[in-house]
Amino acid sequence: MNVQFDFSSRHAMVFGGTTGINLGIAQAYARAGARVTVVSRKQANVDAAAATLSALGLGLGLVADVRDEQAVAAALAQAVAAHGPIDVLVSGAAGNFLAPAAQMSANAFKVVVDIDLLGSFHVARQALQHLRQGAASLIFISAPQSTVPMAYQAHVCAAKAGVDQLARVLALEWGALGVRVNAISPGPIEGTEGMRRLAPQGEEGAALVRQMVPLGRMGTTDDIAQLAMFLGSDAAGYISGAVIACDGGAQGQLSPMILAAADGALKKT
Ligand code: HXC
């Protein structure tokens, strides 16, 4: 993939940026010259990601749980002290597991809403004062579950629907401040924790994806990173309030994949 973006002299900060899609985004910004800060709740993941990013340029890793608003605020302050005002902020921390609603405890539902939705609010609200004045891009990571009801995903569907609306509302409220707010909705992306949890493994999973995805393949973290770079760049200067799918044309037709995975996983429990 050869689209070139230039993020030199910019600060990109990625919550949840130590693994999977979010790490791919962080690495892409770093390769494009950005000073990059990643945040997640696990020290080991933070250390590994910070080392990877430092090899590409100026990387900083910080530990914070997005459910803890004060920890989010502290991470933002530390990031800005090190790398300056934030040009691009990605809020991508998420939790997920398969569970039938009738057997899901209220706490299990709440933990995903707290990470995905309330965590996104914490990140956005606390970051506002630290965003580059007049020209910043805030990107939420949503999911097809935000619009497509999927069995065993009541918590994620509810949380991600909220994330889409949060993006749209903040786009209305913060446009006058020069903050563009958008969301990316990734389809099935290979090698991610989400796919390990939500897709049957091996040839069964690959065959289902080929059936559901018109482009006939799983996405890569680079597919998502390219969109994140576009949304973070001046090329997307008039795009705000958009929820953009990057899913090979699947348009949320992923329910059979999740049902097949649940069929395997839930039978074992
Ligand atoms: C049922 C479960 C469960 C499971 C946890 N719980 N895992 N219930 N089935 N597999 C319940 C627990 O019993 C508990 O409820 C409550 O949830 C909280 O669990 P804890 O383990 O105490 O919480 P915590 O350690 O804070 O973190 C749990 C977690 C984490 C956030 C859910 O395990 C997690 O999500 N890891 C996965 C991260 C991940 O997959 N990220 C990628 C998401 S991708 P009780 O009642 O016992 O207290 C994505 C988009 C996919 O979301 C798009 C696909 C197309």
Side-chain angles (χ1 to χ4, degrees):
M1 171 54 67
N2 266 330
V3 182
Q4 296 294 322
F5 291 93
D6 181 7
F7 280 87
S8 51
S9 81
R10 301 205 181 178
H11 178 190
M13 184 165 184
V14 185
F15 279 81
T18 58
T19 56
I21 287 172
N22 299 309
L23 176 59
I25 292 171
Q27 287 173 316
Y29 287 135
R31 282 195 201 97
R35 303 182 295 275
V36 178
T37 306
V38 288
V39 184
S40 88
R41 67 180 170 138
K42 292 188 185 146
Q43 184 74 59
N45 291 351
V46 167
D47 292 344
T52 305
L53 292 166
S54 295
L56 296 169
L58 274 178
L60 173 67
L62 299 170
V63 175
D65 187 324
V66 293
R67 289 171 285 190
D68 179 345
E69 188 172 16
Q70 288 322 307
V72 167
L76 284 158
Q78 229 180 308
V80 170
H83 285 165
I86 301 161
D87 297 278
V88 185
L89 177 68
V90 178
S91 174
N96 202 343
F97 48 83
L98 292 162
Q103 281 133 51
M104 191 187 295
S105 71
N107 191 46
F109 185 90
K110 180 177 181 295
V111 80
V112 169
V113 172
D114 281 354
I115 296 169
D116 293 27
L117 180 54
L118 187 59
S120 293
F121 180 73
H122 288 157
V123 168
R125 191 170 104 87
Q126 290 298 331
L128 183 59
Q129 63 185 303
H130 297 298
L131 296 178
R132 173 87 57 198
Q133 246 186 337
S137 172
L138 168 54
I139 301 167
F140 293 110
I141 306 300
S142 185
Q145 285 89 331
S146 72
T147 53
V148 180
M150 295 190 198
Y152 313 119
Q153 292 281 277
H155 46 353
V156 177
C157 290
K160 293 295 192 181
V163 168
D164 287 6
Q165 284 295 68
L166 182 61
R168 295 183 181 112
V169 171
L170 295 185
L172 292 176
E173 294 192 12
W174 294 357
L177 305 173
V179 181
R180 293 184 295 106
V181 188
N182 296 289
I184 294 174
S185 180
I189 305 301
E190 67 188 9
T192 59
E193 182 64 26
M195 280 306 98
R196 275 188 287 281
R197 286 169 180 249
L198 299 183
Q201 302 304 299
E203 184 44 38
E204 192 196 346
L208 268 170
V209 166
R210 283 194 293 275
Q211 269 174 37
M212 292 178 306
V213 178
L215 291 184
R217 66 171 176 88
M218 271 209 188
T220 65
T221 53
D222 194 51
D223 289 321
I224 305 301
Q226 290 292 323
L227 176 54
M229 285 204 289
F230 170 66
L231 286 175
S233 76
D234 299 342
Y238 201 53
I239 300 179
S240 195
V243 178
I244 302 178
C246 186
D247 63 358
Q251 300 186 49
Q253 298 178 72
L254 302 174
S255 299
M257 181 184 79
I258 287 174
L259 284 175
D263 197 38
L266 297 175
K267 264 187 196 152
K268 285 184 215 139
T269 58

